[in-house]
Amino acid sequence: MSLPVAHTHDPVAHPASGSDLTPAEVADLEAEIRALARAQDAVILAHNYQLPEVQRVADHVGDSLQLAITGRQVAQRTIVFCGVHFMAESAKVLAPEKRVLLPNLSAGCSLADSITAESLEDWKARYPGHAVVTYVNSTAEVKALSDVCCTSANAASVVRSLPQRQILFTPDRNLGAWVKAKVPEKEVVVYDGCCPVHDVLRSASVTRVKAGRPDAVVIAHPECRADVLEIADEICSTTAMLAAVGKHPEAHTFIVATEHGIVHQLRQRWPGKEFVIADGCIGCRMHCPYMKMVDLLMVRDALRHGKHEITVPADVADGARRALERMLAVPRDA
Ligand code: 13P
Ligand code: SF4
């Protein structure tokens, strides 16, 4: 099977950010986007890491899986997916009858690209009898070759639910190591992929940020390295972070170890609290260039010109859907 080369993943292809626009231009664009969406029977979905102005214009903001499920449930026939390529692909796989648009085809994901269908085939051949668990941050082709998918929210439950004792976990090595520690009864072999945005963070940086805020609660995404997870008070997916804040009513400050776009949603939900990105520097290290490749002009043009329609070959979509549906059937506490 060949890998679809729908996106270039070239960070240089970064568009002009919507933040270059004046507030009046932004307001006009937002109104135009909403009118176009109504006229085209479209729903706008945005990931938690998207630019704040894109999150504001969206009908639903959430994590990758939540958005794909929402896309399937809503009545609209067109989904404008403001996120990265694998997320729009998952939305298409779960709602094949709908038109799914990704405003910028260059919006890829280093983690999803760290394993191809060919490299997974090779890896599987070296471990006969192992069940393959694949994180949703992966291409549809890789999902189609997997027994079941998982998210950062349900990875341990999915691994625990499988009849096989021997598991191949792909592609994220940090999430895989975390799951392996949580499910010691399984023999988990972990693939060597990672998200550079999370993998770059070290516990020393988190400790430095915490030094001036000793009472702060540390919330980390499981794509972070083990040394960071060890000092985290909460480990969860992006959307689960919003609820995790509520578990610490006494705390005022939260140190967040994930991509800085999540701060927009955290501030919306918890206006009285303070959120600091774990590296202490919004916009430098914990910055996903792919997640910032969609701006308001692109959302408008996606609706105006039907750009860019995501297609998944039927055999690949069937296989990926099977792996995703198996995941959705796993009870959360399995
Ligand atoms: P979530 O599924 O937790 O939103 O994470 C997606 C992602 O890309 C993390 O880097
Ligand atoms: Fe991919 Fe990492 Fe960006 Fe998430 S933050 S989309 S895993 S590169």
Side-chain angles (χ1 to χ4, degrees):
M1 257 188 278
S2 64
L3 191 72
V5 189
H7 45 279
T8 64
H9 298 191
D10 175 6
V12 178
H14 197 305
S17 162
S19 58
D20 294 340
L21 302 167
T22 65
E25 286 170 332
V26 169
D28 286 350
L29 256 181
E30 283 176 358
E32 187 181 358
I33 288 168
R34 292 211 172 88
L36 280 166
R38 266 194 310 279
Q40 306 235 350
D41 192 25
V43 65
I44 301 172
L45 307 180
H47 187 267
N48 289 315
Y49 295 162
Q50 289 287 291
L51 292 169
E53 59 268 32
V54 173
Q55 294 190 33
R56 271 194 294 271
V57 86
D59 298 296
H60 302 274
V61 179
D63 63 26
S64 61
L65 184 77
Q66 193 186 13
L67 291 175
I69 293 170
T70 301
R72 176 159 80 165
Q73 287 169 344
V74 295
Q76 288 93 336
R77 302 280 309 154
T78 292
I79 297 167
V80 179
F81 206 112
C82 303
V84 295
H85 192 271
F86 79 80
M87 297 181 179
E89 242 185 9
S90 292
K92 179 69 185 174
V93 163
L94 288 179
E97 72 291 354
K98 299 200 178 192
R99 183 174 69 141
V100 177
L101 304 175
L102 179 66
N104 187 345
L105 274 186
S106 295
C109 167
S110 311
L111 175 57
D113 285 354
S114 67
I115 186 160
T116 63
E118 290 77 8
S119 46
L120 179 53
E121 295 267 34
D122 289 348
W123 203 45
K124 281 170 71 168
R126 287 169 42 211
Y127 293 93
H130 287 57
V132 178
V133 178
T134 293
Y135 184 34
V136 287
N137 290 36
S138 52
T139 64
E141 285 204 326
V142 165
K143 288 185 178 81
L145 293 173
S146 308
D147 292 284
V148 60
C149 287
C150 72
T151 71
S152 50
N154 64 14
S157 305
V158 166
V159 168
R160 223 175 264 128
S161 76
L162 291 169
Q164 295 92 334
R165 201 178 66 79
Q166 295 177 306
I167 311 287
L168 295 182
F169 188 95
T170 181
D172 190 76
R173 63 177 179 233
N174 295 332
L175 178 62
W178 183 62
V179 168
K180 190 177 162 127
K182 284 185 81 164
V183 193
E185 67 274 23
K186 302 279 184 182
E187 194 184 303
V188 184
V189 183
V190 179
Y191 192 79
D192 194 19
C194 73
C195 162
V197 177
H198 291 83
D199 197 63
V200 74
L201 184 68
R202 296 294 186 275
S203 57
S205 304
V206 183
T207 307
R208 201 173 321 118
V209 175
K210 197 165 170 163
R213 307 162 177 91
D215 298 329
V217 171
V218 177
I219 302 181
H221 194 281
E223 287 174 22
C224 291
R225 294 167 71 100
D227 60 316
V228 172
L229 299 182
E230 266 162 34
I231 58 168
D233 300 292
E234 301 286 347
I235 300 170
C236 41
S237 70
T238 56
T239 289
M241 286 179 178
L242 301 174
V245 173
K247 290 199 217 162
H248 300 270
E250 75 296 342
H252 173 69
T253 302
F254 294 80
I255 297 172
V256 185
T258 197
E259 211 278 343
H260 65 92
I262 188 69
V263 169
H264 179 70
Q265 282 303 309
L266 286 166
R267 288 191 181 135
Q268 298 279 113
R269 176 79 75 88
W270 302 101
K273 307 280 186 185
E274 181 190 30
F275 299 99
V276 184
I277 290 295
D279 59 10
C281 170
I282 286 188
C284 48
R285 286 175 301 166
M286 298 203 82
H287 172 87
C288 175
Y290 305 116
M291 277 289 179
K292 312 304 181 200
M293 283 187 170
V294 173
D295 65 16
L296 286 180
L297 290 167
M298 289 185 168
V299 178
R300 192 264 319 266
D301 289 347
L303 285 159
R304 267 191 187 170
H305 309 297
K307 292 199 302 193
H308 298 273
E309 185 160 359
I310 298 298
T311 56
V312 183
D315 59 331
V316 174
D318 289 348
R321 191 176 311 110
R322 180 191 38 77
L324 284 166
E325 299 282 10
R326 280 185 77 177
M327 171 188 75
L328 294 174
V330 173
R332 279 296 284 278
D333 56 350

